[in-house]
Amino acid sequence: MATILRMALGRLLTLVPMVLGITLFVFVVLRFSPNDPAYNALGEGATPQARHAYAAAHGLTDPLPVRYVRFLGDLLHGDLGLTAPPSKPVTGAIGTAFPLTLQLTLLSVLVGVVFAVVLGVTAALFRDRWPDQAIRVLSMAGVAMPSFWLGILLIQWFALRLGWFPTGGYVNPGDSVGGWLRSLALPAIAVGFPVGSLLARVVRTAMVEELDRDYVRTAIGGGLPRVVVVGRNVLRNALITPLTVLGLQIGYLLSGAVVVEAIFGLPGLGTLIMQGVTAGDPALVQGVVLCIALTFLVVNLLVDVLYLFANPRLKGATR
């Protein structure tokens, strides 16, 4: 446990410059936006003098470094500014939308992992036979399939034709757990299937390499059932590499969730950022982008810790 804590602390320290870099990049890029915060706040009827007075009163005429330092100070206090009229805190809007995006992302991870493990292990156990060939074709198709296009197909087949799922909308789990699962099932499949297809290929390769190792033949030759050897040793060792790849795919899962939310009409960060872009609201766009980026960094930190748990040999290397 002490090793894991030291590793987590080290990763946290490396996150500090990364977070500063992300905030600086987002801040500078959005400063070049043609949208005028004074115009958004005061409306179309505001005179140039009124807009200038607003900009001066809110520090918009200060040098860029001064504004960035002030932005960091506000960020540390949880203040991301106000949205375009009708003005409301950006943090409040993100706090309302973020839980839904997080739910969709976690369900997508679950879908992708289950799909990858089942198909990857099956392909490895039946390597070079027809199940392996069929799974290869299916995984290649999944990797090449954009999540938004798959979402549209799922709506067409399972919502409109069969009527098994709603075409869109969100049901709070507090109101109905079954309704919540039905409202997020198709979006989760649309986001998780491409990632699961990629991971299935990685799982298959890792499983094949482990099955060819001497300890597997020795254990099976010693009388241990093949199912026990595969489930207890081979699968655990083979999942180390896919776990690393999953951490790298978290960014895709988040971006896929953002896009798919708009298709299914889910009031998450995807819908929120589209509202910000459409309304010309740089503060809202800035807040959502920062939230997604920071979530990606935190999730990758958690994946690194899980990687240490999955590979006990790393504990000795980190001491």
Side-chain angles (χ1 to χ4, degrees):
M1 183 59 68
T3 302
I4 297 175
L5 291 177
R6 285 198 297 270
M7 177 206 168
L9 180 59
R11 288 288 290 128
L12 281 173
L13 293 177
T14 61
L15 288 183
V16 174
M18 296 177 65
V19 171
L20 289 176
I22 291 172
T23 58
L24 179 61
F25 176 79
V26 174
F27 178 82
V28 172
V29 168
L30 288 180
R31 295 294 82 75
F32 290 99
S33 171
N35 295 304
D36 183 6
Y39 178 85
N40 291 336
L42 301 178
E44 298 180 2
T47 63
Q49 293 79 8
R51 292 202 297 269
H52 179 75
Y54 177 91
H58 290 80
L60 300 178
T61 57
D62 294 339
L64 200 61
V66 175
R67 294 164 60 187
Y68 175 66
V69 172
R70 185 166 57 241
F71 165 73
L72 286 180
D74 293 339
L75 184 61
L76 290 175
H77 289 87
D79 183 7
L80 291 172
L82 299 175
T83 65
S87 298
K88 59 181 180 179
V90 173
T91 52
I94 293 177
T96 302
F98 179 72
L100 191 152
T101 300
L102 183 61
Q103 294 168 25
L104 176 57
T105 302
L106 292 177
L107 282 177
S108 302
V109 170
L110 179 61
V111 169
V113 168
V114 171
F115 180 81
V117 171
V118 171
L119 293 190
V121 171
T122 303
L125 295 177
F126 294 91
R127 70 174 111 171
D128 299 328
R129 284 180 275 178
W130 72 264
D132 183 22
Q133 301 296 335
I135 290 173
R136 287 186 188 184
V137 173
L138 179 61
S139 61
M140 290 178 62
V143 171
M145 191 176 300
S147 57
F148 69 89
W149 184 72
L150 177 58
I152 295 174
L153 290 182
L154 291 175
I155 293 175
Q156 181 68 31
W157 294 340
F158 297 101
L160 295 179
R161 291 188 180 180
L162 299 177
W164 293 352
F165 299 95
T167 57
Y170 174 71
V171 177
N172 193 293
D175 298 330
S176 172
V177 176
W180 173 73
L181 286 174
R182 291 182 71 247
S183 66
L184 292 183
L186 294 185
I189 294 173
V191 177
F193 180 76
V195 173
S197 299
L198 174 62
L199 289 176
R201 303 176 67 180
V202 179
V203 170
R204 180 206 178 269
T205 302
M207 283 287 297
V208 168
E209 292 177 354
E210 287 295 322
L211 288 171
D212 289 338
R213 295 188 183 275
D214 293 335
Y215 78 88
V216 177
R217 290 191 290 268
T218 301
I220 295 177
L224 286 177
R226 181 180 176 86
V227 175
V228 175
V229 176
V230 172
R232 181 182 299 176
N233 302 105
V234 177
L235 184 60
R236 180 180 180 182
N237 294 332
L239 289 182
I240 296 174
T241 301
L243 183 62
T244 306
V245 177
L246 176 62
L248 299 175
Q249 292 297 312
I250 293 298
Y252 175 86
L253 287 168
L254 283 170
S255 61
V258 167
V259 174
V260 167
E261 283 174 1
I263 297 175
F264 286 88
L266 300 174
L269 292 180
T271 303
L272 195 63
I273 197 171
M274 290 192 65
Q275 291 175 356
V277 172
T278 304
D281 191 343
L284 184 57
V285 174
Q286 176 179 265
V288 174
V289 171
L290 284 176
C291 179
I292 294 174
L294 294 178
T295 302
F296 172 73
L297 295 179
V298 171
V299 171
N300 270 273
L301 173 63
L302 296 178
V303 170
D304 285 344
V305 176
L306 290 176
Y307 181 79
L308 185 59
F309 273 115
N311 189 359
R313 290 172 295 181
L314 293 180
K315 294 181 179 180
T318 55
R319 290 175 182 173

